[in-house]
Amino acid sequence: MNTRILLAFLIPALALAQRPAPASGIDKAAMNTTVDPCTDFYQYACGTWNAGHPLPADRSRFGRFNELQDHNERISLDILQGAAAKQDRAGLEQTIGDFYASCMNTDAIAKKGVEPLKPELDRIAAMKDMSGIAAEMARLQRIGVGVLFAFGAQPDPRDSNRTIAGLRPGGLSLPDRDYYLKTDAKSLETRQHYLQHMKNMFQLAGDKPQAASLKATMVMEFETTLAKHSLDRVAMRDPNKTYNMKPRGFLAEKYAGFPWEAYFTAVGAPPFETLNVAYPDGLNNLDTELGAQPIDTWQAYFTYHLLHASADELAQPIADEDFDFWQRYLAGVKEPRPRNVRCVAATDRALGDLLGQKYIQLAFGADAKAQITTLVEGLERAMGDDINALTWMTPDTKAAAIVKLKAITNNVGYPRKWRDYSKVTIAADDYFGNTERASEAMNQQRIRKIGQPTDKTEWTMTPPTVNAFYSPQSNSINFPAGILQLPFFDPRRDMATNYGGVGAVIGHEMTHGFDDQGRKYDGDGNLRDWWTKDDGAEFEKRVSCVADEYSGFTSVDDVKLNGRLTLGENTADNGGLRVAYMAMQEALKSTPAEKLDGFTPEQRFFLGFAQVWCENMSPQEARQRAMTDPHSPGRFRVNGTLQNMPEFQKAYACKPDAPMVRQNACRVW
Ligand SMILES: [Zn+2]
């Protein structure tokens, strides 16, 4: 829908729902107990939930994650409606209240039509040559419209304490380069729909049908050229491949047709001497195919990206057309989410740390923070024991791994420092302008970090987000308050179920520090090989087992998962669940291992893990994710992980030839 490039994804919003928690914390009503847990554990744990929750018309995917997300959205909605209703709002409440009010002000939005785009469209129309193109490109990137490539600040991969300039390929609209290059029937159909959609958008912006049609074709050709020069997603996951430090003058020397110095000034970059060019070959077409494009092709390309990025902030016909292609056709969503919920999401994207401060007050207490911190410490001890007990790793590499493990910083609930929005002007009747100004301020805040010491406390998610992340360069695990709730965690419910829920999330993030990407960084967050050659080879052998396993899973129709694209996530599940299990076993030493609701603690642990992943997905979404999402769908995260675990087979007394028992089980950590 809205593709402005902002730091935050997902969504937020009410006070802790009073959900009935049975003694075990297991949702028995979600289970399908007619299925043998040793045949298909995912169906056993989630079968009735999945059957009873057909996809809502406004979603392409709906699962337990989304239930929690909806719950968080209601909290945020209360906050925003409350702020917007105040007569003399000031400070933080003025900012978020006015932003939300401007998004809900559909009369003002409708009245303006595409007029808010006029200054930008005029600038695009006035471009005459490469110097005009570079200036406008910088301008669009500043306001969060992704064109051609992404330029900005990043920690130096080899010296994480300093922030450098970085440039990486970008500028496509469709979800992946393969969408432009593949020639199967589905890909051809998608491109036909994309062409028609672009034509409709140009017409809505004022073009006659013939001109609109011509522009759509020009954009398609332009983006196809970009796609041909893009690195594929699997290669982009390798931090050594994308590490190419170059002197500043390198670009001007190699791609002389582009006015680099003027561009750097226009985009707001502070002085710098060197930069990391993630994929230098990706620029090879800049002086040739792209540079040779007539000016109207560039104009069409910029215009479409601007229209698409702004669609949700413009009058309804444009928003509808954008939804029709991107959501309805490409993702299988039948209708847009309610306006107020979209406005919550928009506020979270634009002003996430302001909304987050209010959210924390309502949804996250000091007791939850203390309990999670204790859990994290238990998991860290378990991971240390796990590393020390590995049979395939030599003592030197183990010692280095332990150093890295001990260096991990844990952040629970919300960032240590809140982002500053004081320079952003927000007005209750200017939704387009608000979004543009917030986006520009955030992007400028980021780009000005070039040349500065790296702020390793910075978060890339907002507090109400139902997600968590590991940052390789700050070597930190980060758990937004949004995920530290049911079904992941409840301080009042059974411990074993909590270990399977939030414990597995913690173990997962920790293991990211040691997956096929994370292992390439040391405890200080620097790209440095701390492995002996033999241990590195053993690791690669073990992750290949995981890659082959998941490449064998069919997501939808004839579309299989890409075991190499999803390798980091699957490795994190493979190790993370085991570490959570070990930590639970340790904790059980001081509590009686009694049955609750008929389940042993071990059985509750695996159910707690699996029930987080109950979900339904449209076939369109499944297809798109198989090509682009580094995460596997829920059912494979459950069955793919458990099939490798003897601990699971023991807990459910599975026979050695049961489907949930994988011959040649994969184990990395
Ligand atoms: Zn992950």
Side-chain angles (χ1 to χ4, degrees):
M1 195 167 286
N2 180 307
T3 56
R4 271 178 208 269
I5 296 164
L6 294 169
L7 292 173
F9 353 82
L10 293 186
I11 317 194
L14 202 134
L16 277 174
Q18 297 301 312
R19 295 173 203 192
S24 66
I26 299 300
D27 186 349
K28 289 181 91 167
M31 300 172 65
N32 179 354
T33 51
T34 66
V35 175
D36 179 352
C38 297
T39 299
D40 183 344
F41 193 73
Y42 179 67
Q43 275 303 318
Y44 170 75
C46 287
T48 305
W49 192 96
N50 287 359
H53 292 78
L55 211 49
D58 62 353
R59 311 287 179 116
S60 56
R61 177 196 201 182
F62 190 80
R64 304 300 291 277
F65 266 75
N66 305 89
E67 282 186 329
L68 175 52
Q69 200 176 310
D70 287 357
H71 164 76
N72 290 343
E73 272 170 5
R74 285 191 296 273
I75 302 178
S76 293
L77 185 58
D78 272 5
I79 294 168
L80 293 172
Q81 286 176 333
K86 274 196 185 151
Q87 283 306 316
D88 47 356
R89 46 187 186 262
L92 184 160
E93 289 200 308
Q94 179 273 320
T95 312
I96 58 174
D98 280 351
F99 189 93
Y100 176 78
S102 75
C103 178
M104 291 300 290
N105 193 343
T106 46
D107 287 347
I109 294 168
K111 215 157 100 195
K112 286 179 186 168
V114 291
E115 180 227 298
L117 290 180
K118 182 102 186 2
E120 214 55 64
L121 291 173
D122 288 349
R123 273 190 280 266
I124 292 172
M127 300 186 323
K128 286 190 177 61
D129 51 19
M130 207 34 116
S131 105
I133 290 170
E136 183 56 21
M137 188 186 305
R139 164 80 200 152
L140 291 170
Q141 290 171 350
R142 284 173 76 114
I143 58 171
V145 179
V147 280
L148 208 63
F149 51 72
F151 173 79
Q154 65 167 102
D156 182 341
R158 298 248 166 104
D159 181 6
S160 62
N161 288 322
R162 71 181 195 128
T163 296
I164 57 166
L167 193 148
R168 62 182 162 79
L172 298 179
S173 292
L174 292 173
D176 188 81
R177 63 172 214 155
D178 281 357
Y179 278 75
Y180 297 90
L181 307 179
K182 282 170 76 172
T183 53
D184 59 285
K186 185 75 194 166
S187 303
L188 295 175
E189 180 204 284
T190 303
R191 290 201 288 274
Q192 259 336 99
H193 278 260
Y194 180 44
L195 270 173
Q196 182 61 46
H197 156 68
M198 287 194 285
K199 182 186 174 202
N200 297 346
M201 288 290 265
F202 284 120
Q203 283 190 250
L204 287 166
D207 283 323
K208 296 267 185 299
Q210 210 185 345
S213 198
L214 189 63
K215 285 183 182 180
T217 311
M218 291 193 287
V219 178
M220 181 69 99
E221 279 171 13
F222 190 92
E223 292 185 352
T224 305
T225 304
L226 282 181
K228 281 187 199 145
H229 289 263
S230 301
L231 199 57
D232 69 90
R233 275 171 200 273
V234 171
M236 284 298 282
R237 290 191 67 250
D238 184 343
N240 286 312
K241 273 201 184 125
T242 55
Y243 182 72
N244 302 290
M245 288 299 284
K246 304 284 181 197
R248 180 175 178 135
F250 163 84
L251 293 169
E253 206 172 283
K254 195 135 190 261
Y255 314 106
F258 188 82
W260 290 99
E261 289 307 319
Y263 165 79
F264 290 137
T265 306
V267 82
F272 64 93
E273 307 276 305
T274 55
L275 80 166
N276 184 35
V277 183
Y279 180 52
D281 284 354
L283 296 167
N284 280 348
N285 55 357
L286 193 56
D287 272 355
T288 53
E289 289 151 276
L290 295 181
Q293 294 292 327
I295 196 74
D296 35 3
T297 297
W298 285 92
Q299 287 166 335
Y301 170 68
F302 283 177
T303 302
Y304 176 73
H305 278 252
L306 176 66
L307 288 169
H308 173 44
S310 322
D312 222 27
E313 296 128 42
L314 299 169
Q316 206 55 40
I318 289 213
D320 287 346
E321 172 57 38
D322 196 71
F323 175 86
D324 253 12
F325 176 71
W326 291 100
Q327 299 297 313
R328 197 190 309 273
Y329 173 71
L330 218 49
V333 188
K334 294 191 177 69
E335 60 184 52
R337 300 209 62 204
R339 180 88 199 170
N340 59 5
V341 175
R342 275 151 56 206
C343 290
V344 169
T347 314
D348 183 55
R349 281 196 299 271
L351 306 164
D353 275 16
L354 292 184
L355 178 57
Q357 289 175 50
K358 299 294 274 181
Y359 170 86
I360 292 296
Q361 291 169 8
L362 294 174
F364 194 61
D367 51 336
K369 185 160 180 151
Q371 280 203 35
I372 297 288
T373 304
T374 308
L375 270 175
V376 172
E377 287 164 3
L379 267 286
E380 264 170 8
R381 281 193 300 275
M383 182 132 198
D385 293 346
D386 176 58
I387 291 170
N388 281 323
L390 290 177
T391 52
W392 56 269
M393 193 182 260
T394 56
D396 285 354
T397 309
K398 278 185 186 177
I402 296 287
V403 168
K404 175 164 185 181
L405 174 66
K406 292 216 160 110
I408 292 178
T409 309
N410 308 319
N411 297 311
V412 177
Y414 46 91
R416 289 170 211 195
K417 276 190 306 235
W418 296 109
R419 217 172 276 279
D420 174 26
Y421 301 90
S422 56
K423 294 204 175 71
V424 189
T425 306
I426 301 294
D429 59 354
D430 185 14
Y431 183 42
F432 180 89
N434 289 341
T435 310
E436 191 174 270
R437 286 187 292 272
S439 184
E440 181 164 19
M442 198 186 292
N443 287 325
Q444 284 302 295
Q445 220 169 42
R446 278 198 64 74
I447 207 164
R448 279 197 292 268
K449 291 175 189 285
I450 294 172
Q452 302 294 315
T454 303
D455 177 4
K456 293 194 175 184
T457 67
E458 201 177 14
W459 277 35
T460 52
M461 286 179 187
T462 64
T465 304
V466 186
N467 210 334
F469 66 100
Y470 170 76
S471 159
Q473 292 233 252
S474 61
N475 193 26
S476 64
I477 49 178
N478 308 276
F479 306 98
I483 198 173
L484 303 175
Q485 306 182 47
L486 283 171
F488 295 91
F489 173 70
D490 182 347
R492 295 157 304 183
R493 80 174 179 183
D494 167 50
M495 177 192 75
T497 317
N498 277 341
Y499 272 100
V502 80
V505 174
I506 296 166
H508 173 99
E509 299 308 335
M510 227 175 251
T511 310
H512 269 318
F514 303 90
D515 70 15
D516 63 313
Q517 274 180 324
R519 81 173 188 93
K520 292 174 178 161
Y521 296 86
D522 65 17
D524 296 322
N526 296 323
L527 203 48
R528 179 177 72 81
D529 191 1
W530 46 271
W531 295 63
T532 66
K533 203 162 157 278
D534 288 351
D535 288 335
E538 279 296 319
F539 177 92
E540 292 303 332
K541 200 167 86 191
R542 281 170 166 73
V543 290
S544 288
C545 177
V546 177
D548 292 345
E549 178 192 3
Y550 285 79
S551 285
F553 293 139
T554 300
S555 180
V556 59
D557 300 335
D558 59 339
V559 183
K560 289 218 182 310
L561 295 186
N562 179 341
R564 287 284 159 188
L565 175 63
T566 55
L567 185 54
E569 297 300 332
N570 299 331
T571 304
D573 282 344
N574 181 286
L577 193 61
R578 176 168 291 102
V579 169
Y581 182 89
M582 290 171 69
M584 177 193 69
Q585 289 295 339
E586 191 59 34
L588 279 175
K589 285 182 182 163
S590 53
T591 17
E594 61 189 17
K595 279 194 173 185
L596 290 177
D597 283 348
F599 302 111
T600 65
E602 287 78 10
Q603 291 173 332
R604 302 197 296 273
F605 172 84
F606 291 113
L607 278 168
F609 167 66
Q611 291 198 323
V612 160
W613 293 111
C614 304
E615 68 178 13
N616 284 303
M617 208 187 291
S618 70
Q620 294 93 328
E621 181 77 18
R623 179 177 286 271
Q624 189 177 139
R625 283 181 184 269
M627 287 169 78
T628 59
D629 191 347
H631 304 86
S632 302
R635 69 180 195 274
F636 300 121
R637 293 192 76 158
V638 173
N639 287 355
T641 306
L642 299 184
Q643 280 169 356
N644 291 318
M645 285 186 78
E647 297 89 340
F648 165 76
Q649 292 140 27
K650 190 165 160 238
Y652 282 91
C654 299
K655 298 211 173 69
D657 60 349
M660 285 299 300
V661 180
R662 188 177 149 84
Q663 313 305 321
N664 311 318
C666 309
R667 175 170 175 180
V668 184
W669 293 99

